[in-house]
């Protein structure tokens, strides 16, 4: 009963095919029944039926035949169909009772016309082990061009049924190829010529179905209302169907018309879906989506051949709007999803699931700063996808996002975010992120460039906004392995470089770093002022999750700030000192560097126990330190205009 993921051999078609085959075998022997007896019917079913299906069919209970010219009543107890060899269940189907009335005169004209049929306790076990090995493959029944699928509507004329009742039905479907396990209880299925519930769809006569079951160990309930059973016989008439499915907080409504409902083909229907977490869609579709806040989506669902499409859908995910088109091809061994998604205003918190945050966008409760939520490897291995997401505006706390454009390309368990483009702080962050879910410990690499980011955007709403200006850029190149972002960074190797020039920064921040009480004290209680930034360089070497600073330099009009920083990403501990060398002769400057230590999520700031005479060596060696970074000045230079501030600092330091 799945909506989008049963491919060439739908569960509905297979189950109906089994029941239909049993019915056909019963009715084909009617002429012999009229002339002879119930014993002949038993022989026909058990001997002839077993020969046709190449499986043993037995009737372990009573058979009664009550013949009339107007109608014939057949009563058969305990029918059993043997399973294919090497499958788990001994029987593929067991039916406690088939009780039917049909019109024999119509049979003489080549039509199967059943006025009433009652099927009690049918149990059907369907299983697929590989692409070519499924227990519903019957060579004598399946057309060659369907690869063994049971196509009840295309090969056999579906009988006219005036009234149908199925009680205590049970269908089990196990698909090892897709990792799908479905256990469906059909508590009641009734269908007769009456007015159906969905009158707005133009139903004049129809049926209702109610059931419950499990799919991938998740419980669900299903209710369906459709057109008349006689409409199933006419392939030229689309079949109206309204289906509601609930699995936990996920609610799905499909309301439209099916050209072939038994094969779930020729679909044109409204699809509404709502839930608390888009990641739960995996249980219905095997599409790996990240955790999200509450969502609602509405659009048009169609199916042509093996391709399901969701056209012009719109909705909300958390506080973000989402619209677009997607298609899902289920014809291959693996599903393949393509989508083009757009958002006018996207809340960055709604994307937290991509990096291990909970569906509400808040960090997972932990003493750690870096998310440590394991990657769902089995989901990345379940299907392939190519999704493009574009947001015109991105909102969110702490980070000044403006817009984004990302392509998620997942093939055979290897996920690439390429291109990965963020408009951040009036600049851009672009590059490639790759994750390979095939190894037990997935490797991850990221190569990101930061270009012309505006420093003031990071101080919006603070007392330092009016005294901050300038651009910075740089590069992050890291490679690690692990099941979560925290594990990847804890094992990562690479480098991280930032360079800044041509702006201003709060003098309070600079003076406080050297505890120059004489200058910093009035700034705390009076009006802060800005000091010009000539150049700043921050460079880390990363080995086995340990970030060690190669250069920490910030040159301003008032001070030259140098330092040393090390960060252990494995236990998230920081150990750093910052020492500002004033360019004036302030008598109250203590010239004692400040230290930063403790956990990244809750660092401690203190004083270094020693004076900084030996630390001044770093400033003397600026030439050797800064010269290599001339090559990355392009990250902060506009067009062909060179950045003279950093180039001047590098040149001067080199002369020293």
């Amino acid at each position: 009963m799945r909506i989008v993921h049963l491919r060439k051999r739908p569960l509905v078609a297979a189950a109906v095919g089994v029941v239909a085959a049993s019915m056909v075998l019963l009715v084909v022997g009617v002429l012999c029944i009229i002339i002879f007896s119930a014993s002949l019917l038993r022989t026909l079913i058990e001997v002839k039926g077993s020969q046709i299906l190449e499986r043993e069919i037995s009737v372990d209970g009573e058979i009664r035949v009550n013949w009339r010219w107007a109608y014939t009543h057949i009563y058969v107890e305990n029918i059993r169909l043997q399973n294919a060899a090497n499958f788990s269940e001994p029987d593929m189907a067991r039916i406690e009772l088939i009780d039917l009335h049909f019109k024999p005169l119509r049979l003489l004209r080549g039509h199967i016309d059943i006025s009433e049929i009652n099927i009690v306790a049918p149990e059907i076990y369907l299983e697929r082990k590989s692409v070519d090995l499924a227990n519903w493959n019957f060579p004598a029944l399946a057309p060659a061009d369907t690869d063994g699928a049971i196509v009840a509507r295309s090969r056999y004329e579906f009988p006219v049924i005036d009234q149908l009742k199925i009680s205590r039905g049970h269908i089990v479907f196990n698909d090892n190829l897709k990792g799908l396990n479905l256990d469906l209880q059909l508590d009641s299925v009734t269908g007769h010529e009456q007015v159906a519930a969905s009158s707005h769809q133009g139903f004049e006569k129809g049926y209702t179905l109610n059931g419950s079951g499990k799919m991938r160990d998740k419980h669900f309930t299903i209710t369906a209302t459709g057109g008349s059973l006689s409409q199933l016989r006419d392939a030229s008439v689309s079949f109206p169907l309204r289906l509601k499915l609930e699995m936990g907080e996920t609610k799905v409504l499909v309301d439209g018309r099916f050209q072939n409902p038994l094969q779930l083909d020729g679909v044109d229907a409204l699809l509404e879906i709502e839930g608390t977490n888009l990641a739960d869609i995996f249980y219905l579709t095997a599409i790996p989506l990240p955790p999200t806040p509450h969502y609602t989506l509405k659009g048009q669902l169609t199916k042509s051949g093996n391709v399901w499409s969701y056209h012009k859908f719109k909705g909300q995910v958390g506080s973000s709007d989402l619209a677009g088109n997607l298609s899902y091809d289920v014809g291959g061994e693996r599903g393949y999803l393509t989508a083009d998604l757009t958002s006018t205003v996207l809340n960055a918190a709604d994307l937290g699931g991509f990096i291990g945050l909970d569906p509400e966008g808040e960090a997972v409760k932990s003493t750690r700063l870096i998310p440590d939520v394991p990657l769902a490897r089995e989901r990345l291995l379940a299907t392939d996808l190519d999704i493009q997401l574009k947001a015109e505006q991105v909102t969110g706390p702490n980070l000044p996002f403006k817009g984004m454009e990302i392509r998620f390309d997942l093939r055979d368990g290897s996920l690439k975010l390429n291109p990965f483009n963020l408009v951040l702080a009036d600049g851009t962050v672009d590059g490639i992120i790759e994750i390979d879910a095939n190894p037990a410990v997935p490797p991850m690499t990221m190569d990101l460039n930061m270009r012309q980011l505006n420093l003031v955007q990071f101080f919006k709403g603070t007392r330092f906004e009016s005294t901050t200006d300038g651009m910075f850029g740089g590069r992050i190149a890291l490679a690690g392995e692990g099941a979560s972002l925290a594990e990847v960074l804890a094992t990562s190797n690479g480098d991280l470089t930032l360079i800044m020039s041509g702006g201003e920064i709060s003098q309070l921040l600079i003076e406080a770093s050297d505890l120059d009480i004489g200058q910093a004290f009035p700034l705390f209680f009076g009006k802060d002022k800005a000091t010009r930034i000539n150049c700043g360089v921050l460079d880390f070497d990363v080995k086995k999750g340990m970030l060690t600073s190669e250069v920490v330099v910030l040159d301003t009009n008032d001070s030259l700030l140098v330092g040393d920083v090390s960060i252990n990403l494995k236990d998230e501990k920081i150990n750093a000192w910052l020492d500002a060398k004033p360019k004036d002769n302030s008598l109250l400057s203590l010239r004692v560097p400040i230290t930063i230590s403790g956990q990244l999520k809750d660092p401690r700031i203190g004083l270094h126990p020693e004076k900084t005479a030996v630390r001044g060596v770093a400033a003397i060696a600026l030439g050797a330190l800064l010269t290599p970074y001339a090559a990355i000045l392009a990250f902060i230079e506009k067009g062909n205009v060179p950045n003279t501030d950093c180039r001047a600092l590098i040149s001067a330091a080199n002369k020293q």
Side-chain angles (χ1 to χ4, degrees), residues 259-272:
Q259 192 67 31
N260 188 341
L262 299 182
Q263 293 294 315
L264 295 180
D265 203 5
V267 181
D268 187 5
L270 171 72
L271 171 60
E272 294 182 5

Side-chain angles (χ1 to χ4, degrees), residues 181-331:
N181 304 105
L182 177 61
D183 190 320
L184 179 63
Q185 300 287 340
L186 299 179
D187 296 325
S188 63
V189 181
T190 59
H192 48 88
E193 304 292 338
Q194 65 177 15
V195 178
S198 300
S199 58
H200 69 280
Q201 282 290 342
F203 296 166
E204 295 181 355
K205 301 174 181 179
Y207 75 91
T208 60
L209 177 152
N210 297 286
S212 63
K214 290 193 303 181
M215 187 181 297
R216 300 181 190 272
D217 296 324
K218 296 292 181 178
H219 290 274
F220 71 91
T221 60
I222 187 170
T223 302
T225 305
S228 66
L229 296 174
S230 60
Q231 287 181 272
L232 291 174
R233 307 175 68 251
D234 189 354
S236 65
V237 177
S238 60
F239 186 81
L241 178 65
R242 180 181 176 90
L243 184 147
K244 294 178 67 175
L245 184 146
E246 294 188 14
M247 178 181 288
E249 299 298 324
T250 303
K251 300 178 181 179
V252 180
L253 170 65
V254 179
D255 194 354
R257 308 188 78 84
F258 288 60
Q259 192 67 31
N260 188 341
L262 299 182
Q263 293 294 315
L264 295 180
D265 203 5
V267 181
D268 187 5
L270 171 72
L271 171 60
E272 294 182 5
I273 185 166
E274 176 184 1
T276 56
N277 188 351
L278 265 175
D280 292 340
I281 295 296
F282 178 82
Y283 301 111
L284 294 173
T285 65
I287 298 174
L289 297 176
T292 69
H294 185 274
Y295 67 92
T296 58
L297 298 172
K298 181 178 181 180
Q300 197 69 14
L301 178 70
T302 64
K303 181 173 183 282
S304 178
N306 294 315
V307 180
W308 292 85
S309 298
Y310 197 26
H311 298 287
K312 297 181 180 180
F313 67 85
K314 295 181 179 180
Q316 291 285 129
V317 179
S319 58
S320 306
D321 68 281
L322 189 65
N325 298 281
L326 65 82
S327 64
Y328 192 32
D329 189 341
V330 297

Side-chain angles (χ1 to χ4, degrees), residues 346-359:
L346 184 67
N347 190 330
D350 299 332
L351 298 178
F354 284 101
I355 58 172
L357 303 184
D358 73 8

